[in-house]
Structure formats: C-alpha cells, structure tokens
Amino acid sequence: MDIDDLRTFVEVADAGGVSAAARRLGVSKSIVSRRLFRLEAELGVQLLARTTRGAALTEAGASFRDHAARVGAEIDAAREIIQPTGDLTGRLRVAMPLTFGPTHLAPVLAELARRHPRLHIHSSYGDRFVDLIAEGFDCAIRVGLLQDSNLIARRVGTIHGKFLASPDYIAAHGAPEAPEEITSHQALMQGTEAWQFMDGDKVVTINPQGRYKADNGIALAAAAAAGLGVAWLPDCVTDAYVAAGALVPIMTRYPVPSAGVFVIRPPGQHQSRKVRVLTELLIECLVEDPRLAGVER
C-alpha cells in the first residue's frame, strides 16, 4: 500500500473533495483521482462516494480514515527518529497573517526553503483564523493577543504597538488623552474587539465604536492616515507613516500591552521536525533581522 495514496485519501476526506485536496497537495486532480482509485482497488472497497459537491466518506471510508492518518503520522515520526538532522523533506503547509506576513514572515519561509531544498512549502496569507485541522495546515503563525483555544502555541516574538491618529483628524476632533475619552472618537477596528491600555501596572479595557472596519492592519493604517479616526496598530505597520508625519502617536501616557507572534499547531499531534525547525528559525530571524524593527524575542 503506497503511503502517498494513504495521505491523499486523508486529504480528500478532510477537504471534502478531490479539487480541494489537489490544491492542498499541490498536484493535479487527475493524480489525486488516480491515487484514490489505486487505494480502493488495493483494499477492494469503496472509500468515497463522489457527489456533485465533492466527495463523502462511505462507512468503510470513515472507519479507514483515522487508521490511514495514524499510519502517516507514525511514518513521519519514524523518519524523524532515524533522520534527526539533515535536509527536511516532504511538504509544509503554513497559514500566515496578511498583515505583517508578506513583509516580515515571508523572508523567513524563503530562508527555510533555501536551507532545505527538498522541502515543499505551501503558504497561505490571510487575516482570518484558519481551522488548521479542517483546512489541512501543519501550523499557523498568529500575531496579536492570543485567544483561548485547544491549540498548542509557542511564542516566538513580541510586537509593540501604539494608538495613532492623523494630524488632520487631531486638528478637527482633538486627541483623546485618557482611555475613557476613546468612546467619543471614531475608532478604526478589525471587528468588535476591545482595546487595552496600561495604566501603570493595571490593564484598562475599553470597547470603542466606529463606522470604518477592516480585517487588515495595513488597510486600517491607510484609513487612519486619511483622517478617518484613531487606530491601535503595531509599530511594524505604522513606523513609515509616523516617520513621514502622516500619523501621530496619541495616548502616550497609556501604552498598549505588547502582543506576541505565535506558532500554532493542532493539539494531540507529534510535533513534526518541519514545524520545529520553522519555529526555531522564526525565533532566530525575528531577533536578528534589522528589517523587523519593533519586533523582539
């Protein structure tokens, strides 16, 4: 029984169809279909029922899926025991934030690919929180204040941020000087998040209001520079605006709690050497790369 056939079946089962699995694996749909046909012929049973919307597991397929996934995980673990060093091989699927990711994290993935020429890296950029298991990612990089979850997280860096507004906005509306004044200003937000301030050793939480929202920090920085309101953003996104005078720090007596850069992976799984090496490289690069101003370990 071919291990690639088993892995392909697991991907199709988890992705819900041949097309989605092919995108995850980075191969053509015909290759995926051929591997499934070969596996079903080897087993003598139908594992998947093809539908107009994709593919659904048969009763036999549902029973076999967990066994196939365990076989793949055991082979990965065995390879790492007998090959604890040397080039990484196989495929690494990682989800990265669209804000901060292409500029600050993509160079780290490029360096990983340079050091390990046999490793296939598939990265996906977006500011939504992906479902690692359902969408087939080995890990994700998340930036900010980590929400409670059952995922396993490793902090690899720290990001500092501040509250800002444009000179035009401040001239027209004034600048808030205390946390409670934020509620009388237009806040530029990603959603319905709360904002936190440090008042000495105490954390103060405010629920701001605003008419302009975006799920991307770069878009919020542009909106703030256009004079639409006040924003809470990381330094790595706003340093250029501040240097040019397009944004001005406000509420400097009440600094923002530092946020983290985290590597997230699914629970209950053996940590692959690929994820471990990526984690170590992120720690190394986030500290040493001079382009990553405002980021520290």
Side-chain angles (χ1 to χ4, degrees), residues 166-220:
S166 71
D168 288 345
Y169 180 89
I170 294 172
H173 305 282
E177 297 183 358
E180 59 272 14
E181 296 179 19
I182 286 288
T183 55
S184 63
H185 286 263
Q186 285 291 324
L188 306 174
M189 303 181 293
Q190 291 198 10
T192 58
E193 70 269 18
W195 284 0
Q196 293 184 329
F197 310 77
M198 296 302 300
D199 186 0
D201 294 332
K202 184 175 66 172
V203 177
V204 178
T205 302
I206 297 294
N207 294 303
Q209 300 296 320
R211 66 183 180 88
Y212 189 95
K213 298 182 179 181
D215 63 356
N216 178 269
I218 297 172
L220 292 176

Short mmCIF file of all heavy atoms in Angstrom, two decimals, residues 166-220:
data_model
loop_
_atom_site.label_atom_id
_atom_site.label_comp_id
_atom_site.label_asym_id
_atom_site.label_seq_id
_atom_site.Cartn_x
_atom_site.Cartn_y
_atom_site.Cartn_z
N SER A 166 -4.20 60.87 12.54
CA SER A 166 -3.54 61.79 11.62
C SER A 166 -3.58 63.21 12.18
O SER A 166 -4.46 63.55 12.98
CB SER A 166 -4.23 61.76 10.26
OG SER A 166 -5.51 62.39 10.35
N PRO A 167 -2.66 64.06 11.76
CA PRO A 167 -2.71 65.47 12.19
C PRO A 167 -4.03 66.14 11.82
O PRO A 167 -4.54 66.96 12.59
CB PRO A 167 -1.52 66.10 11.43
CG PRO A 167 -0.57 64.97 11.22
CD PRO A 167 -1.44 63.77 10.97
N ASP A 168 -4.60 65.80 10.65
CA ASP A 168 -5.88 66.40 10.25
C ASP A 168 -7.00 65.98 11.19
O ASP A 168 -7.86 66.80 11.55
CB ASP A 168 -6.22 65.99 8.82
CG ASP A 168 -5.34 66.68 7.78
OD1 ASP A 168 -4.68 67.68 8.15
OD2 ASP A 168 -5.30 66.21 6.63
N TYR A 169 -7.02 64.70 11.57
CA TYR A 169 -8.06 64.25 12.50
C TYR A 169 -7.92 64.96 13.84
O TYR A 169 -8.92 65.40 14.43
CB TYR A 169 -7.99 62.73 12.69
CG TYR A 169 -9.05 62.22 13.64
CD1 TYR A 169 -10.31 61.85 13.16
CD2 TYR A 169 -8.82 62.12 15.01
CE1 TYR A 169 -11.31 61.41 14.03
CE2 TYR A 169 -9.80 61.67 15.88
CZ TYR A 169 -11.05 61.32 15.39
OH TYR A 169 -12.04 60.88 16.25
N ILE A 170 -6.69 65.06 14.33
CA ILE A 170 -6.46 65.71 15.62
C ILE A 170 -6.86 67.18 15.56
O ILE A 170 -7.47 67.72 16.49
CB ILE A 170 -4.98 65.55 16.04
CG1 ILE A 170 -4.68 64.07 16.31
CG2 ILE A 170 -4.67 66.40 17.26
CD1 ILE A 170 -3.21 63.78 16.53
N ALA A 171 -6.57 67.85 14.44
CA ALA A 171 -6.94 69.26 14.31
C ALA A 171 -8.46 69.44 14.31
O ALA A 171 -8.98 70.42 14.84
CB ALA A 171 -6.34 69.82 13.01
N ALA A 172 -9.16 68.48 13.71
CA ALA A 172 -10.61 68.60 13.60
C ALA A 172 -11.36 68.11 14.84
O ALA A 172 -12.39 68.68 15.22
CB ALA A 172 -11.10 67.82 12.37
N HIS A 173 -10.83 67.08 15.50
CA HIS A 173 -11.57 66.44 16.59
C HIS A 173 -10.83 66.42 17.92
O HIS A 173 -11.40 65.98 18.93
CB HIS A 173 -11.92 65.00 16.20
CG HIS A 173 -12.66 64.88 14.90
ND1 HIS A 173 -14.00 65.16 14.77
CD2 HIS A 173 -12.22 64.53 13.66
CE1 HIS A 173 -14.38 64.97 13.51
NE2 HIS A 173 -13.31 64.59 12.81
N GLY A 174 -9.58 66.83 17.93
CA GLY A 174 -8.78 66.72 19.14
C GLY A 174 -8.26 65.30 19.30
O GLY A 174 -8.67 64.38 18.60
N ALA A 175 -7.37 65.13 20.26
CA ALA A 175 -6.79 63.82 20.53
C ALA A 175 -7.24 63.34 21.90
O ALA A 175 -7.16 64.11 22.87
CB ALA A 175 -5.27 63.88 20.47
N PRO A 176 -7.73 62.12 22.03
CA PRO A 176 -8.09 61.61 23.36
C PRO A 176 -6.86 61.55 24.26
O PRO A 176 -5.77 61.21 23.80
CB PRO A 176 -8.64 60.21 23.06
CG PRO A 176 -8.03 59.83 21.74
CD PRO A 176 -7.87 61.10 20.97
N GLU A 177 -7.04 61.89 25.52
CA GLU A 177 -5.92 61.90 26.46
C GLU A 177 -6.05 60.84 27.54
O GLU A 177 -5.07 60.53 28.21
CB GLU A 177 -5.79 63.28 27.10
CG GLU A 177 -5.47 64.38 26.09
CD GLU A 177 -5.28 65.72 26.76
OE1 GLU A 177 -5.43 65.80 28.01
OE2 GLU A 177 -4.98 66.71 26.06
N ALA A 178 -7.24 60.28 27.72
CA ALA A 178 -7.47 59.24 28.72
C ALA A 178 -8.31 58.14 28.09
O ALA A 178 -9.06 58.39 27.13
CB ALA A 178 -8.18 59.82 29.95
N PRO A 179 -8.20 56.90 28.57
CA PRO A 179 -8.93 55.79 27.95
C PRO A 179 -10.42 56.02 27.79
O PRO A 179 -10.99 55.68 26.74
CB PRO A 179 -8.63 54.63 28.90
CG PRO A 179 -7.32 54.96 29.51
CD PRO A 179 -7.30 56.46 29.65
N GLU A 180 -11.05 56.61 28.79
CA GLU A 180 -12.50 56.79 28.71
C GLU A 180 -12.91 57.76 27.60
O GLU A 180 -14.07 57.75 27.16
CB GLU A 180 -13.06 57.27 30.05
CG GLU A 180 -12.49 58.59 30.56
CD GLU A 180 -11.23 58.42 31.39
OE1 GLU A 180 -10.64 57.32 31.36
OE2 GLU A 180 -10.86 59.38 32.09
N GLU A 181 -11.98 58.58 27.11
CA GLU A 181 -12.30 59.52 26.04
C GLU A 181 -12.36 58.85 24.67
O GLU A 181 -12.87 59.43 23.71
CB GLU A 181 -11.27 60.66 26.02
CG GLU A 181 -11.27 61.52 27.27
CD GLU A 181 -10.22 62.61 27.22
OE1 GLU A 181 -9.75 62.92 26.10
OE2 GLU A 181 -9.86 63.15 28.28
N ILE A 182 -11.84 57.65 24.57
CA ILE A 182 -11.84 56.93 23.28
C ILE A 182 -13.26 56.73 22.76
O ILE A 182 -13.51 56.77 21.55
CB ILE A 182 -11.12 55.57 23.43
CG1 ILE A 182 -9.61 55.78 23.52
CG2 ILE A 182 -11.45 54.63 22.28
CD1 ILE A 182 -8.96 56.19 22.22
N THR A 183 -14.21 56.50 23.64
CA THR A 183 -15.57 56.19 23.20
C THR A 183 -16.25 57.38 22.51
O THR A 183 -17.27 57.20 21.84
CB THR A 183 -16.43 55.74 24.39
OG1 THR A 183 -16.37 56.74 25.43
CG2 THR A 183 -15.92 54.43 24.95
N SER A 184 -15.71 58.57 22.63
CA SER A 184 -16.29 59.73 21.94
C SER A 184 -15.60 60.00 20.61
O SER A 184 -15.88 61.01 19.96
CB SER A 184 -16.20 60.98 22.84
OG SER A 184 -14.85 61.32 23.10
N HIS A 185 -14.70 59.11 20.20
CA HIS A 185 -13.99 59.26 18.94
C HIS A 185 -14.33 58.12 18.00
O HIS A 185 -14.80 57.06 18.42
CB HIS A 185 -12.47 59.28 19.18
CG HIS A 185 -11.98 60.56 19.78
ND1 HIS A 185 -11.44 61.59 19.03
CD2 HIS A 185 -11.95 61.00 21.08
CE1 HIS A 185 -11.10 62.59 19.82
NE2 HIS A 185 -11.39 62.26 21.06
N GLN A 186 -14.09 58.35 16.70
CA GLN A 186 -14.25 57.30 15.70
C GLN A 186 -13.05 56.35 15.79
O GLN A 186 -11.91 56.75 15.59
CB GLN A 186 -14.33 57.91 14.30
CG GLN A 186 -15.64 58.56 13.97
CD GLN A 186 -16.76 57.54 13.85
OE1 GLN A 186 -16.56 56.42 13.36
NE2 GLN A 186 -17.95 57.91 14.30
N ALA A 187 -13.33 55.09 16.08
CA ALA A 187 -12.28 54.08 16.19
C ALA A 187 -12.22 53.27 14.91
O ALA A 187 -13.25 52.90 14.34
CB ALA A 187 -12.53 53.17 17.39
N LEU A 188 -11.02 52.99 14.45
CA LEU A 188 -10.79 52.16 13.27
C LEU A 188 -10.43 50.77 13.76
O LEU A 188 -9.40 50.57 14.40
CB LEU A 188 -9.67 52.75 12.42
CG LEU A 188 -9.85 54.22 12.03
CD1 LEU A 188 -8.62 54.74 11.30
CD2 LEU A 188 -11.10 54.41 11.18
N MET A 189 -11.29 49.80 13.48
CA MET A 189 -11.17 48.48 14.11
C MET A 189 -11.24 47.36 13.10
O MET A 189 -11.71 47.54 11.97
CB MET A 189 -12.28 48.30 15.15
CG MET A 189 -12.35 49.35 16.23
SD MET A 189 -13.69 49.00 17.39
CE MET A 189 -15.11 49.25 16.33
N GLN A 190 -10.80 46.17 13.54
CA GLN A 190 -10.95 44.98 12.71
C GLN A 190 -12.34 44.38 12.83
O GLN A 190 -12.82 43.72 11.92
CB GLN A 190 -9.89 43.94 13.10
CG GLN A 190 -8.49 44.36 12.72
CD GLN A 190 -7.52 43.18 12.69
OE1 GLN A 190 -7.93 42.03 12.76
NE2 GLN A 190 -6.25 43.48 12.56
N GLY A 191 -12.97 44.56 13.97
CA GLY A 191 -14.30 43.98 14.18
C GLY A 191 -14.96 44.61 15.38
O GLY A 191 -15.25 45.81 15.39
N THR A 192 -15.20 43.82 16.40
CA THR A 192 -15.83 44.33 17.62
C THR A 192 -14.88 44.17 18.81
O THR A 192 -15.31 43.99 19.94
CB THR A 192 -17.14 43.57 17.90
OG1 THR A 192 -16.85 42.17 18.01
CG2 THR A 192 -18.15 43.79 16.79
N GLU A 193 -13.58 44.22 18.52
CA GLU A 193 -12.60 43.96 19.56
C GLU A 193 -12.58 45.04 20.63
O GLU A 193 -13.00 46.18 20.41
CB GLU A 193 -11.19 43.83 18.96
CG GLU A 193 -10.62 45.13 18.42
CD GLU A 193 -10.94 45.38 16.96
OE1 GLU A 193 -11.88 44.72 16.45
OE2 GLU A 193 -10.27 46.21 16.35
N ALA A 194 -12.08 44.66 21.80
CA ALA A 194 -11.84 45.61 22.88
C ALA A 194 -10.41 46.12 22.78
O ALA A 194 -9.52 45.42 22.28
CB ALA A 194 -12.07 44.94 24.23
N TRP A 195 -10.20 47.38 23.22
CA TRP A 195 -8.86 47.95 23.24
C TRP A 195 -8.35 47.99 24.67
O TRP A 195 -9.12 48.27 25.60
CB TRP A 195 -8.88 49.37 22.67
CG TRP A 195 -8.99 49.40 21.18
CD1 TRP A 195 -9.09 48.34 20.35
CD2 TRP A 195 -9.02 50.58 20.36
NE1 TRP A 195 -9.17 48.76 19.04
CE2 TRP A 195 -9.13 50.13 19.02
CE3 TRP A 195 -8.96 51.94 20.61
CZ2 TRP A 195 -9.19 51.02 17.95
CZ3 TRP A 195 -9.01 52.82 19.54
CH2 TRP A 195 -9.12 52.37 18.23
N GLN A 196 -7.08 47.71 24.83
CA GLN A 196 -6.49 47.67 26.17
C GLN A 196 -5.38 48.71 26.31
O GLN A 196 -4.63 48.97 25.37
CB GLN A 196 -5.92 46.27 26.46
CG GLN A 196 -6.99 45.20 26.57
CD GLN A 196 -6.43 43.85 26.96
OE1 GLN A 196 -5.30 43.53 26.62
NE2 GLN A 196 -7.22 43.06 27.67
N PHE A 197 -5.32 49.30 27.48
CA PHE A 197 -4.31 50.29 27.82
C PHE A 197 -3.63 49.89 29.12
O PHE A 197 -4.24 49.23 29.97
CB PHE A 197 -4.94 51.68 28.04
CG PHE A 197 -5.86 52.15 26.94
CD1 PHE A 197 -7.16 51.65 26.83
CD2 PHE A 197 -5.45 53.10 26.03
CE1 PHE A 197 -8.01 52.10 25.84
CE2 PHE A 197 -6.29 53.54 25.03
CZ PHE A 197 -7.57 53.04 24.93
N MET A 198 -2.39 50.30 29.27
CA MET A 198 -1.69 50.11 30.54
C MET A 198 -1.75 51.42 31.33
O MET A 198 -1.27 52.45 30.88
CB MET A 198 -0.23 49.71 30.30
CG MET A 198 -0.04 48.38 29.61
SD MET A 198 -0.79 46.98 30.48
CE MET A 198 0.11 47.06 32.04
N ASP A 199 -2.38 51.36 32.50
CA ASP A 199 -2.40 52.49 33.42
C ASP A 199 -1.54 52.10 34.61
O ASP A 199 -2.02 51.51 35.58
CB ASP A 199 -3.84 52.79 33.86
CG ASP A 199 -3.94 54.04 34.72
OD1 ASP A 199 -2.89 54.67 34.97
OD2 ASP A 199 -5.05 54.40 35.14
N GLY A 200 -0.23 52.38 34.50
CA GLY A 200 0.70 51.85 35.48
C GLY A 200 0.82 50.35 35.31
O GLY A 200 1.12 49.85 34.22
N ASP A 201 0.51 49.60 36.36
CA ASP A 201 0.53 48.13 36.29
C ASP A 201 -0.84 47.54 35.97
O ASP A 201 -0.98 46.33 35.88
CB ASP A 201 1.04 47.55 37.62
CG ASP A 201 2.49 47.90 37.89
OD1 ASP A 201 3.23 48.10 36.91
OD2 ASP A 201 2.87 48.00 39.08
N LYS A 202 -1.84 48.40 35.84
CA LYS A 202 -3.21 47.94 35.63
C LYS A 202 -3.58 48.00 34.16
O LYS A 202 -3.23 48.95 33.46
CB LYS A 202 -4.18 48.80 36.45
CG LYS A 202 -5.63 48.34 36.37
CD LYS A 202 -6.52 49.16 37.31
CE LYS A 202 -6.60 50.60 36.85
NZ LYS A 202 -7.60 51.37 37.64
N VAL A 203 -4.29 46.97 33.69
CA VAL A 203 -4.78 46.94 32.32
C VAL A 203 -6.20 47.48 32.30
O VAL A 203 -7.07 47.00 33.01
CB VAL A 203 -4.75 45.51 31.74
CG1 VAL A 203 -5.34 45.49 30.33
CG2 VAL A 203 -3.33 44.96 31.73
N VAL A 204 -6.42 48.51 31.48
CA VAL A 204 -7.75 49.11 31.32
C VAL A 204 -8.31 48.68 29.97
O VAL A 204 -7.62 48.76 28.95
CB VAL A 204 -7.66 50.65 31.39
CG1 VAL A 204 -9.04 51.27 31.18
CG2 VAL A 204 -7.06 51.10 32.71
N THR A 205 -9.54 48.20 29.96
CA THR A 205 -10.18 47.72 28.73
C THR A 205 -11.33 48.65 28.35
O THR A 205 -12.17 48.99 29.18
CB THR A 205 -10.71 46.29 28.92
OG1 THR A 205 -9.62 45.43 29.28
CG2 THR A 205 -11.34 45.78 27.63
N ILE A 206 -11.34 49.05 27.08
CA ILE A 206 -12.37 49.94 26.54
C ILE A 206 -12.98 49.28 25.30
O ILE A 206 -12.28 48.67 24.51
CB ILE A 206 -11.78 51.32 26.16
CG1 ILE A 206 -11.21 52.02 27.40
CG2 ILE A 206 -12.83 52.20 25.49
CD1 ILE A 206 -12.25 52.43 28.43
N ASN A 207 -14.28 49.43 25.13
CA ASN A 207 -14.96 48.95 23.93
C ASN A 207 -15.25 50.13 23.02
O ASN A 207 -16.22 50.86 23.21
CB ASN A 207 -16.26 48.23 24.30
CG ASN A 207 -16.01 46.96 25.09
OD1 ASN A 207 -15.30 46.08 24.62
ND2 ASN A 207 -16.59 46.85 26.27
N PRO A 208 -14.39 50.36 22.02
CA PRO A 208 -14.56 51.53 21.15
C PRO A 208 -15.68 51.34 20.14
O PRO A 208 -16.18 50.24 19.94
CB PRO A 208 -13.20 51.63 20.47
CG PRO A 208 -12.73 50.21 20.39
CD PRO A 208 -13.24 49.54 21.63
N GLN A 209 -16.04 52.43 19.50
CA GLN A 209 -17.07 52.40 18.47
C GLN A 209 -16.54 53.12 17.23
O GLN A 209 -15.76 54.07 17.34
CB GLN A 209 -18.36 53.09 18.95
CG GLN A 209 -18.97 52.47 20.18
CD GLN A 209 -19.44 51.04 19.95
OE1 GLN A 209 -20.00 50.75 18.89
NE2 GLN A 209 -19.24 50.17 20.92
N GLY A 210 -16.96 52.68 16.07
CA GLY A 210 -16.53 53.33 14.84
C GLY A 210 -17.28 52.81 13.65
O GLY A 210 -17.81 51.70 13.66
N ARG A 211 -17.29 53.59 12.56
CA ARG A 211 -18.03 53.22 11.36
C ARG A 211 -17.15 52.59 10.29
O ARG A 211 -17.65 52.06 9.30
CB ARG A 211 -18.72 54.46 10.77
CG ARG A 211 -17.75 55.51 10.24
CD ARG A 211 -18.48 56.76 9.75
NE ARG A 211 -17.56 57.75 9.23
CZ ARG A 211 -17.14 57.80 7.97
NH1 ARG A 211 -17.57 56.89 7.10
NH2 ARG A 211 -16.31 58.74 7.56
N TYR A 212 -15.83 52.60 10.50
CA TYR A 212 -14.92 52.06 9.49
C TYR A 212 -14.19 50.86 10.07
O TYR A 212 -13.48 50.98 11.07
CB TYR A 212 -13.90 53.13 9.05
CG TYR A 212 -13.06 52.72 7.86
CD1 TYR A 212 -13.43 53.09 6.57
CD2 TYR A 212 -11.91 51.96 8.01
CE1 TYR A 212 -12.67 52.71 5.47
CE2 TYR A 212 -11.15 51.58 6.92
CZ TYR A 212 -11.53 51.95 5.65
OH TYR A 212 -10.78 51.57 4.57
N LYS A 213 -14.37 49.71 9.41
CA LYS A 213 -13.73 48.48 9.89
C LYS A 213 -13.06 47.77 8.72
O LYS A 213 -13.51 47.85 7.58
CB LYS A 213 -14.76 47.55 10.54
CG LYS A 213 -15.41 48.15 11.78
CD LYS A 213 -16.40 47.19 12.43
CE LYS A 213 -17.02 47.82 13.67
NZ LYS A 213 -17.97 46.90 14.35
N ALA A 214 -11.96 47.08 9.02
CA ALA A 214 -11.24 46.29 8.02
C ALA A 214 -10.54 45.16 8.73
O ALA A 214 -10.10 45.31 9.87
CB ALA A 214 -10.24 47.15 7.25
N ASP A 215 -10.41 44.02 8.06
CA ASP A 215 -9.76 42.87 8.69
C ASP A 215 -8.28 42.82 8.39
O ASP A 215 -7.65 41.77 8.43
CB ASP A 215 -10.43 41.56 8.26
CG ASP A 215 -10.30 41.29 6.77
OD1 ASP A 215 -9.76 42.15 6.04
OD2 ASP A 215 -10.74 40.22 6.33
N ASN A 216 -7.69 43.99 8.11
CA ASN A 216 -6.29 44.06 7.72
C ASN A 216 -5.67 45.31 8.30
O ASN A 216 -6.18 46.42 8.12
CB ASN A 216 -6.21 44.06 6.18
CG ASN A 216 -4.79 44.16 5.69
OD1 ASN A 216 -4.30 45.26 5.48
ND2 ASN A 216 -4.13 43.04 5.52
N GLY A 217 -4.53 45.16 8.99
CA GLY A 217 -3.89 46.29 9.65
C GLY A 217 -3.37 47.34 8.70
O GLY A 217 -3.38 48.54 9.00
N ILE A 218 -2.89 46.91 7.51
CA ILE A 218 -2.39 47.87 6.53
C ILE A 218 -3.52 48.77 6.05
O ILE A 218 -3.35 49.98 5.87
CB ILE A 218 -1.73 47.13 5.36
CG1 ILE A 218 -0.51 46.34 5.86
CG2 ILE A 218 -1.32 48.09 4.25
CD1 ILE A 218 0.10 45.43 4.83
N ALA A 219 -4.71 48.20 5.85
CA ALA A 219 -5.87 48.99 5.43
C ALA A 219 -6.28 49.97 6.53
O ALA A 219 -6.66 51.11 6.25
CB ALA A 219 -7.04 48.07 5.08
N LEU A 220 -6.20 49.55 7.78
CA LEU A 220 -6.55 50.44 8.89
C LEU A 220 -5.55 51.58 9.02
O LEU A 220 -5.92 52.71 9.33
CB LEU A 220 -6.63 49.64 10.19
CG LEU A 220 -7.79 48.65 10.30
CD1 LEU A 220 -7.69 47.86 11.61
CD2 LEU A 220 -9.13 49.36 10.22
#
